[in-house]
Amino acid sequence: MSSDNETSHQDNSSLIIHGDIAAKINFACQQSSFAFLRDLRIENSDVESSIDDLQVILRSSPAFLKEKSWRIDRIAPGEIVTLKNRDIELDGGFLLNLVESVQGTAMFTVEAGGRVICEQSRPVELLAYNEWGGIGYMPELLAAFSMPNDPAADSLLNETVKVLRKAGKPEGIDGYKSGSRARVWELASAIYTAIANLGIGYTIPPASFEQNGQKIRLPGQVFENRVATCLDMTMLFASVFEQAGLNPIIVLPHGHALIGVWLQPEELSTIVIDEAETLRKRVQLKELLVIETTYATQHPALPLSKAIEAAVDIIAPENDQTFNAAVDIRRARAHRIKPLALKIDRQTGAGGPEDSPVVEQTMEESPELPDFTGEIEEEQQDETPAGRLERWQRKLLDLSTRNSLLSHKSSKSSLRFI
C-alpha cells in the first residue's frame, strides 16, 4: 500500500519530522476507520543539545481532518521520539460531499515556546465520494463499494425471484441455508439472469484503473442508467450477491474486474490476496465460482456457463504475471470495512427492468455439485470431547488444498529459509 513517507526539517532547526500518511483518502476511509497517519516520529539531529517543551500539530487544507496535537517534554541529543496516539478524525461530511477529486495538504508543525521551529507540508489527494483509489493505495476499501442496502439490490433480487419462479425452482433467496452448492449455483445463475435482462451497455474503463482507481457507478446508477464498466458491473454483482446472503470476491486481473462467489460459506484467509493460484484451487474444488460480468452486458447476453469459462481462462496460470489482487468482501466486513452510506433516496421503480425492452434470458440449470463440506460438516458434529478430537484428527489428515501446510505457495508475504 502506497503512502507519502518523507522527512523534513528547516535549516535553522535540528528537528526532523518523519511522517507516513495516506496519499489518497475518500469517504470510505472515514467510514471504515482507515489509518490516515501510519507513523510519526520527531528526531533531534543535534548530538549536543536537547530540546524541551515541544508541541507537534497536524492541520489540513482544506479542513478534511480535525486538528491534532501532541506534546513532548524533552528530546535528548540524537534521540528519536515516536508518537503513539495516531488516531486522526477525518471530516466525513466534507468527504461525503466531494463530487470530484481535489488536492489537499496535510501540514505538520513543531512549536517550542509558541514559536514555530520546524514545519512540513504533504499533498493528499481527496477523492470523490464514489471514487476508489486503486490497488496501489487502498485495495481493501473496494469492499466499501459493495452496497447490499442500495434499493437497486432489492429490486434485482425481486427480479431474481421471478427468474427462479419461471424456471420452476424454489423462490426463496436463502443464501447458504440449503447446505447445497447446487442451490447456491442456482441463486448465482438467477441473479446473473436478472442482471443480464436489464440490458446494460458496456463502457470502457480508464487505463490502469485497477492500479490508480476510478469513479465507480453505484448499483442504483447502473440500474437506472443501464451503462457500466467492468468494475461497475462487478460491484453491482457483489452488492446483489451480498444482499442475497452469499459471500462475493472481487477479482482484479490486469485492466479488468471479475466477480467471484463462494459456493459454500467460506472466505479467504486475508482481505486481499495477490496470487491467482488460491482462486484456481478453490475453483477446481468446486467451492468457488468466478464470473466474467461483462458477458451480461452483451446483447443477447451470453449464458452463465460461458461467463464462468471466460473468467477461469483469465485467471489461468499463464496469466499469473498480470494478476493484481482479489478482495474478499466477507473478510473485509469482519475488519469493519462497511458499505458506503446511501447518499440519496432513489425513486421507487425508477429505471425498472420494464423500461428497456431486451431479449429476456432464462437461467441455466446447475451442474452436479457436492453438498457443503469442511466447516459446515463440523457444525453438525457432536461437541463432546470425543467429537472434537475426531474433528481435529480429520483436520490434521486433510490432504486437500484447504490444508495450508500442503498447498503452501511462496508469495510476497512469506519468508523463505535457505
Side-chain angles (χ1 to χ4, degrees):
M1 182 179 301
S2 299
S3 58
D4 194 346
N5 188 356
E6 299 176 1
T7 62
S8 177
H9 64 92
Q10 292 184 336
D11 294 339
N12 60 352
S13 171
S14 60
L15 285 183
I16 304 174
I17 300 172
H18 302 269
D20 183 2
I21 65 173
K24 297 183 180 184
I25 60 170
N26 60 7
F27 177 67
C29 294
Q30 190 273 339
Q31 278 204 303
S32 303
S33 303
F34 187 75
F36 172 72
L37 178 62
R38 288 78 178 275
D39 183 37
L40 181 58
R41 291 167 289 138
I42 308 299
E43 178 183 0
N44 181 6
S45 61
D46 191 328
V47 296
E48 297 181 354
S49 303
S50 62
I51 306 176
D52 300 327
D53 191 21
L54 297 175
Q55 184 177 24
V56 182
I57 306 170
L58 173 61
R59 302 182 177 94
S60 66
S61 177
F64 60 86
L65 58 80
K66 184 177 180 181
E67 182 177 306
K68 176 94 171 181
S69 63
W70 302 261
R71 298 205 71 89
I72 303 174
D73 289 336
R74 174 186 173 90
I75 302 182
E79 183 184 9
I80 299 177
V81 173
T82 300
L83 301 176
K84 299 293 187 182
N85 180 11
R86 297 188 295 271
D87 291 336
I88 303 299
E89 184 178 340
L90 298 174
D91 187 335
F94 176 86
L95 296 170
L96 175 65
N97 291 319
L98 282 179
V99 294
E100 296 290 345
S101 64
V102 298
Q103 195 68 31
T105 305
M107 297 161 288
F108 294 98
T109 304
V110 183
E111 299 178 356
R115 181 174 62 90
V116 175
I117 61 173
C118 183
E119 60 185 3
Q120 178 190 99
S121 295
R122 304 281 189 78
V124 180
E125 188 174 359
L126 310 176
L127 303 178
Y129 160 81
N130 61 334
E131 189 171 3
W132 174 57
I135 293 172
Y137 296 94
M138 49 181 68
E140 67 275 28
L141 288 184
L142 186 57
F145 294 88
S146 175
M147 300 173 63
N149 295 324
D150 191 301
D154 282 334
S155 296
L156 280 165
L157 286 183
N158 182 47
E159 294 303 311
T160 299
V161 169
K162 296 177 183 177
V163 171
L164 289 167
R165 183 184 304 141
K166 186 174 181 179
K169 304 295 181 183
E171 299 175 14
I173 307 296
D174 49 4
Y176 296 110
K177 291 182 179 179
S178 65
S180 165
R181 296 188 205 181
R183 174 57 181 171
V184 176
W185 203 101
E186 284 180 357
L187 288 176
S189 178
I191 290 170
Y192 178 89
T193 303
I195 293 175
N197 285 338
L198 289 180
I200 296 170
Y202 177 71
T203 183
I204 298 174
S208 302
F209 76 87
E210 75 282 4
Q211 290 294 335
N212 303 320
Q214 72 168 73
K215 280 190 174 182
I216 297 175
R217 293 176 178 87
L218 305 181
Q221 293 174 290
V222 176
F223 189 77
E224 292 170 10
N225 301 326
R226 309 297 169 85
V227 64
T229 66
C230 56
L231 185 58
D232 301 335
M233 286 294 293
T234 295
M235 300 318 300
L236 175 64
F237 270 91
S239 302
V240 182
F241 282 149
E242 195 175 4
Q243 184 69 343
L246 304 177
N247 300 343
I249 292 179
I250 312 304
V251 184
L252 297 167
H254 176 68
H256 200 36
L258 310 169
I259 188 67
V261 61
W262 290 100
L263 287 174
Q264 62 180 40
E266 292 198 22
E267 60 190 72
L268 296 174
S269 58
T270 60
I271 301 176
V272 181
I273 62 169
D274 58 7
E275 292 184 332
E277 178 65 20
T278 302
L279 303 181
R280 286 196 296 270
K281 289 176 180 177
R282 295 308 188 104
V283 169
Q284 291 164 4
L285 288 170
K286 298 181 179 180
E287 296 175 348
L288 177 71
L289 290 182
V290 286
I291 302 168
E292 169 58 89
T293 60
T294 62
Y295 275 31
T297 66
Q298 299 191 24
H299 305 288
L302 296 175
L304 176 61
S305 57
K306 296 295 183 184
I308 292 171
E309 290 174 8
V312 170
D313 288 343
I314 291 173
I315 62 169
E318 58 267 26
N319 297 323
D320 276 353
Q321 294 303 313
T322 58
F323 183 82
N324 287 301
V327 181
D328 191 292
I329 302 298
R330 186 171 187 267
R331 175 66 67 169
R333 298 288 183 252
H335 284 74
R336 300 189 303 170
I337 298 177
K338 308 170 186 175
L340 281 180
L342 291 175
K343 194 171 184 180
I344 58 174
D345 292 328
R346 304 192 183 279
Q347 295 181 358
T348 304
E354 65 276 8
D355 295 343
S356 298
V358 295
V359 177
E360 185 173 338
Q361 308 294 318
T362 56
M363 66 171 282
E364 284 188 87
E365 294 287 334
S366 166
E368 290 293 328
L369 292 169
D371 288 338
F372 292 173
T373 58
E375 297 298 324
I376 306 309
E377 291 178 351
E378 290 171 10
E379 290 177 4
Q380 301 170 354
Q381 280 196 4
D382 183 6
E383 283 300 321
T384 63
R388 289 196 297 270
L389 179 61
E390 179 184 350
R391 180 163 69 252
W392 295 336
Q393 288 174 334
R394 189 171 64 253
K395 278 189 173 182
L396 287 172
L397 297 174
D398 184 4
L399 299 180
S400 74
T401 56
R402 283 188 297 270
N403 189 328
S404 59
L405 293 177
L406 297 179
S407 62
H408 176 75
K409 186 174 183 287
S410 294
S411 69
K412 298 174 185 176
S413 60
S414 62
L415 181 64
R416 183 180 178 188
F417 288 92
I418 307 298

